[in-house]
Amino acid sequence: MTNFEKITETPEALGEFLASLPVATGPWDEEFHRTFCDSCELLECRTGTCPHKGDRPLWWLAMGGKPGEAPGLSIRVKAAFPILWDREYYTVARKQKETRAPCVCCDNTGKVTIKGVEYPCPRCKGNWREKEVVGETTVYSVAKWMLEKVETSKYGTTLTFKQTNSTERYGDSLQIRQADFHD
């Protein structure tokens, strides 16, 4: 059995491991203070006299249970939209596409035939792509994404989404860092 398997065997084992870490504060402390301390009537509260004391990491692990959250392993993230497993997300990309005038001499083939002999077009020099721009068209593409992975480090949280339709614009995955969650 690996160390990971040992500490994640039960919520109690994981809570005990997290409580043993030599950290000043953890994500459980912020949530604990928001839930209990912000509305506490005690003027002088110490860890030893706190009526809500206990294994804070284990208490924190037991949170969750809402749709889309893993019971006991929920991470609260302020984002512009709810981040849930098994939910589809969409991005819309806009691209300006140039409309070009056709070559009047070769009709966009790059070649002209004179007396049965084929020559490069004298007007576009055989490269019909190099012609005059006469307008622009806006082209929209819609990509469908599903949450694939959530990574948390000392630098913040990163969400990785997997594209489930075309891989035309971004490839097949998209990462969003915590600094961009508000967008």
Side-chain angles (χ1 to χ4, degrees):
M1 178 180 271
T2 65
N3 287 332
F4 175 78
E5 292 168 336
K6 286 178 190 175
I7 65 172
T8 58
E9 190 172 17
T10 65
E12 290 78 17
L14 182 57
E16 184 180 321
F17 172 75
L18 292 174
S20 72
L21 294 175
V23 294
T25 62
W28 45 84
D29 290 318
E30 183 180 328
E31 193 66 38
F32 183 88
H33 282 280
R34 187 180 8 236
T35 304
F36 296 110
C37 300
D38 289 351
S39 60
C40 185
E41 296 178 2
L42 290 178
L43 297 176
E44 290 291 322
C45 185
R46 302 271 189 260
T47 305
T49 61
C50 177
H52 304 289
K53 69 179 178 182
D55 189 355
R56 290 181 184 188
L58 181 60
W59 169 84
W60 180 72
L61 287 172
M63 291 178 60
K66 295 180 182 175
E69 291 182 353
L73 296 174
S74 299
I75 298 172
R76 307 240 186 261
V77 176
K78 285 187 178 181
F81 53 86
I83 301 167
L84 302 171
W85 296 103
D86 298 326
R87 181 175 178 179
E88 295 176 343
Y89 297 92
Y90 296 90
T91 56
V92 179
R94 180 179 69 192
K95 182 173 145 183
Q96 294 299 114
K97 186 176 179 181
E98 295 176 336
T99 306
R100 298 180 178 263
C103 178
V104 294
C105 190
C106 67
D107 198 28
N108 292 347
T109 62
K111 300 172 183 173
V112 293
T113 305
I114 303 172
K115 294 186 181 181
V117 180
E118 207 171 76
Y119 297 97
C121 176
R123 182 163 190 251
C124 67
K125 311 279 190 266
N127 190 358
W128 55 270
R129 290 176 186 89
E130 300 283 331
K131 53 192 174 289
E132 177 185 359
V133 176
V134 293
E136 284 187 342
T137 305
T138 304
V139 179
Y140 294 94
S141 61
V142 178
K144 183 167 61 169
W145 306 88
M146 297 215 39
L147 182 61
E148 179 181 45
K149 181 170 48 171
V150 178
E151 296 176 284
T152 304
S153 69
K154 65 180 180 180
Y155 303 109
T157 303
T158 301
L159 306 176
T160 302
F161 292 87
K162 178 113 176 120
Q163 191 170 6
T164 58
N165 61 352
S166 169
T167 59
E168 183 178 314
R169 183 159 171 86
Y170 298 106
D172 63 350
S173 71
L174 173 68
Q175 287 192 335
I176 301 176
R177 290 179 171 67
Q178 189 166 346
D180 299 322
F181 285 172
H182 66 278
D183 294 336

